[in-house]
Amino acid sequence: MNKIDLHTHSNFSDGTFSPKELLEYAKVKDLIAVALTDHDTIEGLEEGEYIANNLGIEFINGVELSIGVDSKEYHMLGLMFNRKCVGLQKTLDILQAQRKDRNMEMVSLFRKNNVNINYEDLESTAKGGIITRAHFSELLIKNNYAKNSKESFDKYLSINSKTYIKRSMFDAKLAIETIHNAGGISILAHPYRYNLNSTEIEELIIKLKKMGLGGIEAIYSSHKPSEEAFLKRLAKKYNLKISGGSDFHGLNKPDIDLGDGFGNLNVPSDVLKILKE
Ligand code: AMP
Ligand code: MN
Ligand code: MN
Ligand code: MN
């Protein structure tokens, strides 16, 4: 039925599938197009595109950036950009360096709090990919500081934990411009995951639209039908495109399946057709 998925993670960030495994799985799931949208990195795209081409799946360049608006963090997807764009690559280098600084600071904070983890083990947990709190969680579980990811986040990694350090936030306008200058489209990811009510979501979208936002991720694993419908109405009202994806993370989010989300996700291929117009 021509399904697609425009929000997925590989082991180049906090997913567990390699780009090759992800695309091979997309073939099994009968998807006709997939965007790989790792956090703050485009390193997996070349492998993804190569495998997708061999399998006859349309491959979409993607990335998921953490952005700041009024000192709160939101996620912005970049889709369909030219990954050779030097401006984009330079921006990602800066974001990755900021991440590394923050992660190293967090490790020393953990050690001060008698949780003996080290940066080298964190690096091996991430297997060379972007290190996120998901990898901290994995390492804490491995070293018996937590039983599962819920406990590791509740105890150590959530915003209110004393071992949590906020990442420096990337200016939203700059993020949108960087994506557009690379020929891509900027999409506000999962608008219902920021603890905002409908009015606040609309206000956020108005703000981002003024900065040049291109679209909203209206179709998403955890969206209720009413939420999807509301976001589609907002898209129409503010002349924004819509996107859709599962936010697949492999075994790191085992309940979310590629293309299917929690079971009834359906991103039709028309979404991509319109995004390209
Ligand atoms: P970071 O970008 O380093 O702040 O880490 C964010 C990542 O941590 C997200 O992409 C998720 O994979 C993971 N994460 C954040 N909050 C939770 C949570 N409550 N439970 C499980 N994983 C989470
Ligand atoms: Mn993630
Ligand atoms: Mn996200
Ligand atoms: Mn994501």
Side-chain angles (χ1 to χ4, degrees):
M1 208 206 37
N2 289 344
K3 273 176 75 159
I4 64 171
D5 193 333
L6 301 180
H7 188 163
T8 71
H9 296 268
S10 76
N11 59 4
F12 278 82
S13 64
D14 56 354
T16 58
F17 285 39
S18 67
K20 178 173 186 283
E21 290 164 341
L22 184 98
L23 271 304
E24 285 171 349
Y25 186 47
K27 188 73 193 172
V28 173
K29 303 282 307 184
D30 246 352
L31 299 180
I32 64 162
V34 171
L36 177 60
T37 55
D38 275 309
H39 297 283
D40 297 344
T41 182
I42 57 173
E43 298 279 319
L45 298 181
E46 194 175 333
E47 177 184 327
E49 183 177 71
Y50 177 78
I51 304 295
N53 284 343
N54 286 340
L55 295 171
I57 296 173
E58 181 171 359
F59 186 78
I60 311 297
N61 286 331
V63 70
E64 181 170 19
L65 305 174
S66 305
I67 57 159
V69 180
D70 302 333
S71 45
K72 261 196 73 182
E73 187 182 308
Y74 302 93
H75 288 177
M76 180 74 71
L77 296 169
L79 295 177
M80 303 188 303
F81 48 78
N82 167 15
R83 64 173 182 263
K84 298 273 169 2
C85 170
V86 177
L88 175 66
Q89 288 175 349
K90 277 192 179 152
T91 299
L92 293 171
D93 287 345
I94 294 168
L95 295 179
Q96 288 167 20
Q98 286 173 348
R99 230 180 218 288
K100 182 165 184 190
D101 290 346
R102 174 271 205 144
N103 289 340
M104 291 177 95
E105 276 178 53
M106 259 173 76
V107 168
S108 41
L109 202 51
F110 268 104
R111 297 174 71 87
K112 271 186 204 138
N113 282 279
N114 298 316
V115 176
N116 277 313
I117 55 169
N118 61 59
Y119 194 76
E120 290 69 37
D121 289 346
L122 199 56
E123 275 182 321
S124 15
T125 306
K127 298 182 183 76
I130 294 291
I131 300 173
T132 74
R133 277 179 290 155
H135 301 105
F136 275 91
S137 171
E138 211 177 312
L139 185 60
L140 289 167
I141 295 166
K142 200 156 63 189
N143 293 350
N144 296 316
Y145 288 105
K147 286 196 294 289
N148 48 42
S149 86
K150 184 180 176 339
E151 189 183 337
S152 63
F153 272 88
D154 287 351
K155 234 167 133 177
Y156 301 108
L157 299 167
S158 58
I159 297 176
N160 301 316
S161 315
K162 58 181 175 185
T163 40
Y164 170 77
I165 299 177
K166 213 168 156 180
R167 295 200 288 118
S168 42
M169 280 188 284
F170 183 32
D171 179 70
K173 187 155 187 276
L174 219 65
I176 290 170
E177 282 168 7
T178 304
I179 295 165
H180 291 187
N181 290 341
I185 179 165
S186 58
I187 306 281
L188 174 66
H190 44 66
Y192 275 95
R193 279 189 44 202
Y194 309 118
N195 287 322
L196 303 177
N197 63 34
S198 307
T199 314
E200 291 165 333
I201 290 177
E202 183 159 2
E203 284 163 3
L204 174 66
I205 285 168
I206 293 170
K207 246 179 228 167
L208 292 171
K209 169 77 187 179
K210 282 188 187 136
M211 300 177 193
L213 182 72
I216 331 176
E217 191 175 42
I219 311 174
Y220 185 71
S221 292
S222 60
H223 285 171
K224 297 181 201 136
S226 60
E227 294 172 339
E228 182 178 313
F230 176 69
L231 292 171
K232 284 178 173 168
R233 282 202 300 279
L234 284 185
K236 213 170 237 149
K237 185 168 172 187
Y238 296 104
N239 193 22
L240 293 159
K241 300 209 167 155
I242 64 156
S243 185
S246 65
D247 212 355
F248 180 72
H249 279 70
L251 303 177
N252 279 341
K253 292 188 182 174
D255 298 340
I256 296 177
D257 199 5
L258 190 65
D260 291 330
F262 289 112
N264 45 17
L265 184 76
N266 180 20
V267 188
S269 59
D270 269 6
V271 166
L272 181 60
K273 208 175 118 196
I274 294 167
L275 280 172
K276 284 187 197 156
E277 281 167 4

